[in-house]
Amino acid sequence: MKNFTTSYNPKRLDAHIERQMAKINLETRQNELISRRKKCFGDPSFFDMTFENNDDNQTEAYAKALDFVNSFKKSAGLLFYGPYGTGKTYLAACIANALIDKGYTAKLTTMASAVNDLMDTENKTYYLEAMTGVDLLILDDFGAEYQTDFMLAKSFEIINRRYITRKPLIVTTNFSKDQLSNPDPNQHRLMSRLWEMCLFIAIEGSDRRKEKLKSRLKHKQNG
């Protein structure tokens, strides 16, 4: 009867352990990134809004957005302005996703949602601290909310928290350059703070949503 012996190879075992640990670490990181994206966006459709997937990558706004990511913590905030549907939210989401990949935290919300959440929570100080706590806050579609004195006051409170703590802020708005430069008197204090905090960048062009819809309809007709 043959006597079979199993040879012990420590190098092979160590390599196997390293591969298993690398797999576990990769899965842990992927789960952490998904968790951070959920906290940032809520809507999974934003997860794929990345610089790699952005087909509008030859613009000054795109270059400024990349600079912001590469020099994060040293950059001023950004305010993207221009007509509806020109890709302002998409570009802001690209920045958020890139920073999340680098290990930072981000939150994208509208000002109306932020103010409503602030008023609905019992511990308003805690909510404001949470808005301050993320590495990057993105206020999307600024100015679309009803501009009451109350809304303006709470909007200023949120933005001013970022200013006081010197935390970066990104704002997107459909306001024109003239509206931003010559705001209504009741918006002056808020807009003045944004001018102080952010680099204003125009995003121009046709409505990308309409162009994509036209393209899909044309494709169906030709199909």
Side-chain angles (χ1 to χ4, degrees):
M1 182 176 180
K2 293 183 179 180
N3 182 23
F4 292 97
T5 59
T6 302
S7 61
Y8 170 68
N9 188 329
K11 290 185 178 179
R12 183 177 296 175
L13 180 60
D14 288 344
H16 175 72
I17 293 173
E18 286 181 5
R19 287 194 298 271
Q20 290 300 108
M21 290 301 299
K23 181 179 179 181
I24 293 172
N25 290 336
L26 178 60
E27 290 176 352
T28 301
R29 172 172 166 74
Q30 289 175 337
N31 290 335
E32 175 63 23
L33 291 177
I34 291 173
S35 176
R36 290 192 177 194
R37 293 191 210 286
K38 286 181 178 178
K39 290 178 181 178
C40 177
F41 304 115
D43 184 351
S45 66
F46 282 85
F47 295 3
D48 293 328
M49 295 183 183
T50 64
F51 286 108
E52 293 77 14
N53 294 334
N54 191 340
D55 56 4
D56 192 19
N57 57 13
Q58 301 298 318
T59 63
E60 180 183 0
Y62 182 93
K64 293 290 186 183
L66 274 179
D67 288 343
F68 181 87
V69 171
N70 293 331
S71 59
F72 190 62
K73 294 290 189 179
K74 297 179 181 179
S75 301
L78 301 176
L79 186 147
F80 296 122
Y81 69 94
Y84 175 83
T86 50
K88 300 181 293 296
T89 300
Y90 193 107
L91 194 54
C94 288
I95 294 173
N97 277 311
L99 290 174
I100 288 172
D101 286 340
K102 287 176 173 284
Y104 294 106
T105 57
K107 177 65 178 177
L108 185 150
T109 185
T110 64
M111 183 61 79
S113 294
V115 171
N116 288 335
D117 290 343
L118 173 62
M119 299 316 300
D120 287 342
T121 185
E122 293 183 3
N123 192 334
K124 294 177 174 51
T125 300
Y126 175 82
Y127 180 81
L128 287 170
E129 288 177 352
M131 296 290 280
T132 302
V134 290
D135 296 312
L136 174 66
L137 176 63
I138 300 173
L139 297 175
D140 189 38
D141 207 15
F142 174 75
E145 65 278 354
Y146 188 56
Q147 298 290 296
T148 63
D149 290 341
F150 173 82
M151 179 65 77
L152 288 169
K154 294 304 175 184
S155 298
F156 182 84
E157 190 172 0
I158 291 171
I159 290 172
N160 199 48
R161 281 290 181 120
R162 300 295 294 185
Y163 175 79
I164 292 172
T165 55
R166 298 184 180 277
K167 292 285 189 73
L169 173 71
I170 291 179
V171 177
T172 75
T173 180
N174 295 333
F175 281 175
S176 66
K177 185 176 182 179
D178 183 63
Q179 287 174 301
L180 294 169
S181 302
N182 303 287
D184 294 335
N186 59 343
Q187 297 175 332
H188 188 270
R189 183 176 71 146
L190 178 59
M191 203 59 66
S192 177
R193 182 64 84 223
L194 289 176
W195 275 105
E196 190 174 358
M197 295 174 67
C198 300
L199 174 66
F200 282 43
I201 301 173
I203 299 185
E204 301 173 343
S206 58
D207 189 329
R208 297 176 68 183
R209 296 182 183 89
K210 289 182 179 179
E211 293 299 324
K212 288 181 179 179
L213 178 59
K214 288 179 181 178
S215 178
R216 286 197 297 269
L217 291 174
K218 185 177 180 180
H219 179 74
K220 287 183 178 180
Q221 291 172 354
N222 294 336

